[in-house]
Amino acid sequence: MTGPRHYITTTIPYVNARPHLGFALELVQADTLARHHRHRGGQVRLLSGTDDNSLKNVLAAEAEGVGVREFVDRNADAFAALRDPLALSLDDFIRTSSDPRHRTGVERLWRRCAAAGDLYRKEYEGLYCVGCEQFWTPDELVDGRCAEHGTEPQLVAEENWFFRLSRYADRLHDLITEGTLRIEPAARRNEVLALIAGGLHDFSVSRSHTRARGWGIPVPGDPEQVVYVWWDALGNYVTSLGYGSDDPAYEQWWAAGDRRIHLVGKGVVRFHAVYWPAMLLSAGLPLPTDILVHDYLTVGGRKISKSGNGTAVDPVSLAAAHGTDAVRWWLLRDVPRVGDADFTTERLTARADADFAGGLGNLVHRIVTMVHRYRGGSVPPLGTDRFAVATLLDVCREAPGRIDAALAGFDFRRAVDAAWDILEEANRCIDATRPWELAGAERRGNSDAAERLDAVLAALVTACRVLADELRPFVPESAARIARQVTSVDGVLPEAEPLFVRLRERR
Ligand SMILES: [Zn+2]
């Protein structure tokens, strides 16, 4: 394999509750990017995992009256089990509390930053939001409450280890403005630059062993403290590759890789675009190349929350009820690049029915039926009279480049639109060329009509094949179904079959 090396990661969610559709969005986006780059001949490594070592998990386990280990394992399993229902082509899945690669890597990262002189002990008193797992300054709160969770943070006073974030403000600013560290969309990049311009404060990177209930990775050389869960969690992006345990593998994908791409939700931008790059600079490691930020899903206008405010939507049940590709398709086609998207089951099924059974299914069925009716199932040569199909062939030829550009800009909707233009142009081509009339003229001995019918049918089948090929990263199973229908076996296309069942008739 020689194509460019893309290392693509999702965030690793806390396992304080079961997964919801909001995280499925990130997983499906990351998987689509991974499949896309593999499809174009790149080398890809796709990682997800779970963030086990948080105090939030400890408190959730206590509230449920089960042991932390049992609780974390059970919920982490639920995240790992998203792989099949969402058709995720994961290469790796890391669990921070049990993966032997993780702890040694986090310890090494800590020691490297300590050796750089960036870790020091300090008495500290601050307002801690357990939901965020972070300290907030009073001016960052809204009416004394966490803006993200709406809860009052607790006052915590203890001696912690601190990381000299302030030292890296100028370099981070330069790396982001010059595009070495790319943050998309632009509004998020500006948000990070504003945060840096406002002044970066050193942040606490350990917790007392007691407050952490003994859960987490002990600070190297200071067992009375455990490593702050965000420091621990961010480390997964390199520990999973073998940083600290298998250096050649780490080198291959991180240090010597072409792109290091993190997909993150808008709520955790500061951790990924400020804290993490600063930690890497301190440790003397390369930075991520791309931080791609998605907004949130809402249900009926309310943010989806794992911890039960009635808006949790289970991606596994959705996929079981409506199909994996229906879920992927809604997430990729209807969620805008910027701005929250509102989910309802009605929207998901309406979209799937309109586009699968209505759009793709109809088009492919019509075309295959015509090839059988007029050419005995064998796809004719494109011939020389391509005037009537020139636009369709152009759209097919341009689609891959448009999809590449859209995905490079982290715009899944625009990528899907580029593929969809093939379908729309194919339908226009059928309406404009009226193949049934060409067939009638051919029967009356018109050889021009016969040649034109050849060209039209050949171009339409080509369009279906390109469509199937280009849709593969987005809806792998449906794309494969279309590909089978338009692939000749012994010189003949398979008989036309209905490819998609309408979801709303099935219910
Ligand atoms: Zn919070």
Side-chain angles (χ1 to χ4, degrees):
M1 290 279 274
T2 52
R5 245 177 251 159
H6 290 78
Y7 174 46
I8 301 171
T9 69
T10 71
T11 54
I12 54 172
Y14 299 127
V15 292
N16 60 323
R18 298 177 66 80
H20 62 64
L21 190 65
F23 187 56
L25 170 68
E26 188 171 305
L27 288 167
V28 168
Q29 288 179 335
D31 177 73
T32 301
L33 276 188
R35 288 177 183 271
H36 170 76
H37 289 300
R38 286 191 204 106
H39 192 49
R40 297 282 193 254
Q43 305 176 70
V44 173
R45 187 174 175 86
L46 175 63
L47 169 76
S48 189
T50 53
D51 182 359
D52 301 347
N53 291 331
S54 86
L55 182 54
K56 199 162 158 165
N57 298 337
V58 177
L59 298 181
E62 279 177 7
E64 230 184 80
V66 295
V68 184
R69 168 55 61 196
E70 181 194 339
F71 177 86
V72 162
D73 284 350
R74 190 188 63 205
N75 280 332
D77 285 346
F79 280 88
L82 291 174
R83 187 189 293 245
D84 290 341
L86 295 176
L88 305 174
S89 59
L90 293 171
D91 297 293
D92 197 1
F93 189 91
I94 188 165
R95 296 178 48 176
T96 56
S97 68
S98 55
D99 197 307
R101 293 172 296 179
H102 187 61
R103 180 167 170 169
T104 54
V106 167
E107 288 169 349
R108 187 201 273 187
L109 198 58
W110 182 281
R111 289 203 176 94
R112 291 281 288 257
C113 294
D118 286 331
L119 297 176
Y120 62 94
R121 279 190 82 129
K122 190 174 99 169
E123 285 283 351
Y124 187 70
E125 188 179 273
L127 296 164
Y128 196 76
C129 173
V130 178
C132 294
E133 293 279 14
Q134 97 173 91
F135 285 105
W136 291 111
T137 58
D139 61 296
E140 287 172 321
L141 300 174
V142 177
D143 299 327
R145 289 166 182 276
C146 167
E148 183 86 10
H149 293 95
T151 50
E152 273 183 44
Q154 57 181 128
L155 187 66
V156 171
E158 62 188 30
E159 190 175 305
N160 293 153
W161 286 93
F162 272 69
F163 175 72
R164 276 186 222 283
L165 180 65
S166 51
R167 196 188 238 188
Y168 295 98
D170 290 347
R171 280 173 73 192
L172 284 176
H173 172 270
D174 292 349
L175 290 165
I176 293 167
T177 47
E178 75 193 24
T180 308
L181 174 55
R182 178 171 166 258
I183 302 167
E184 290 284 348
R188 298 296 166 200
R189 176 172 63 247
N190 295 336
E191 183 185 305
V192 173
L193 289 172
L195 193 70
I196 295 171
L200 295 183
H201 303 288
D202 296 352
F203 68 101
S204 159
V205 290
S206 71
R207 304 286 173 259
S208 79
H209 186 267
T210 319
R211 189 157 69 85
R213 314 284 206 277
W215 185 252
I217 298 176
V219 167
D222 186 359
E224 284 309 297
Q225 298 267 311
V226 298
V227 175
Y228 172 40
V229 63
W230 266 104
W231 177 286
D232 168 325
L234 289 164
N236 95 89
Y237 300 129
V238 292
T239 64
S240 71
L241 294 175
Y243 178 75
S245 62
D246 179 7
D247 288 333
Y250 155 77
E251 289 287 331
Q252 183 194 353
W253 288 102
W254 191 266
D258 294 288
R259 313 277 330 160
R260 300 171 287 276
I261 303 169
H262 297 320
L263 273 78
V264 311
K266 65 178 175 183
V268 294
V269 173
R270 90 159 58 196
F271 299 98
H272 287 84
V274 178
Y275 291 10
W276 174 232
M279 289 161 61
L280 292 166
L281 287 172
S282 172
L285 306 182
L287 303 192
T289 56
D290 302 82
I291 296 175
L292 308 179
V293 186
H294 63 80
D295 287 352
Y296 288 152
L297 295 183
T298 57
V299 172
R302 295 171 67 199
K303 186 192 161 190
I304 300 179
S305 164
K306 273 186 296 195
S307 33
N309 60 359
T311 53
V313 176
D314 175 17
V316 176
S317 333
L318 271 185
H322 308 296
T324 295
D325 281 352
V327 177
R328 289 177 66 104
W329 190 244
W330 187 81
L331 292 171
L332 295 165
R333 180 146 161 83
D334 278 3
V335 176
R337 179 167 178 264
V338 174
D340 294 345
D342 197 48
F343 172 83
T344 63
T345 306
E346 184 58 26
R347 285 188 184 127
L348 180 145
T349 54
R351 172 53 80 189
D353 283 348
D355 288 355
F356 291 144
L360 291 163
N362 265 341
L363 176 72
V364 174
H365 195 270
R366 272 176 100 185
I367 292 170
V368 174
T369 302
M370 289 193 289
V371 171
H372 275 277
R373 187 169 301 156
Y374 306 138
R375 291 295 181 263
S378 76
V379 183
L382 201 43
T384 47
D385 181 10
R386 297 182 193 175
F387 178 73
V389 295
T391 310
L392 178 58
L393 293 175
D394 283 346
V395 171
C396 289
R397 204 164 22 242
E398 287 159 11
R402 290 174 60 205
I403 292 171
D404 290 350
L407 291 182
F410 195 47
D411 194 337
F412 294 90
R413 206 145 75 152
R414 199 153 57 85
V416 166
D417 283 348
W420 210 248
D421 282 352
I422 298 174
L423 174 136
E424 288 179 345
E425 189 52 43
N427 278 326
R428 258 196 299 275
C429 179
I430 295 173
D431 291 346
T433 59
R434 308 175 74 79
W436 49 95
E437 289 182 1
L438 291 174
E442 180 186 31
R443 276 194 299 275
R444 293 189 298 274
N446 182 335
S447 63
D448 285 352
E451 199 189 329
R452 189 160 315 154
L453 182 57
D454 276 349
V456 168
L457 293 176
L460 289 171
V461 172
T462 298
C464 293
R465 288 175 178 161
V466 174
L467 201 49
D469 199 43
E470 291 303 319
L471 285 176
R472 189 170 303 193
F474 303 90
V475 279
E477 206 266 324
S478 303
R481 214 179 290 176
I482 297 169
R484 278 194 297 277
Q485 179 72 85
V486 293
T487 301
S488 301
V489 178
D490 298 329
V492 179
L493 294 184
E495 287 288 342
E497 281 175 32
L499 292 179
F500 303 100
V501 179
R502 281 185 188 275
L503 298 175
R504 285 187 287 188
E505 283 167 13
R506 203 164 68 183
R507 278 188 304 165

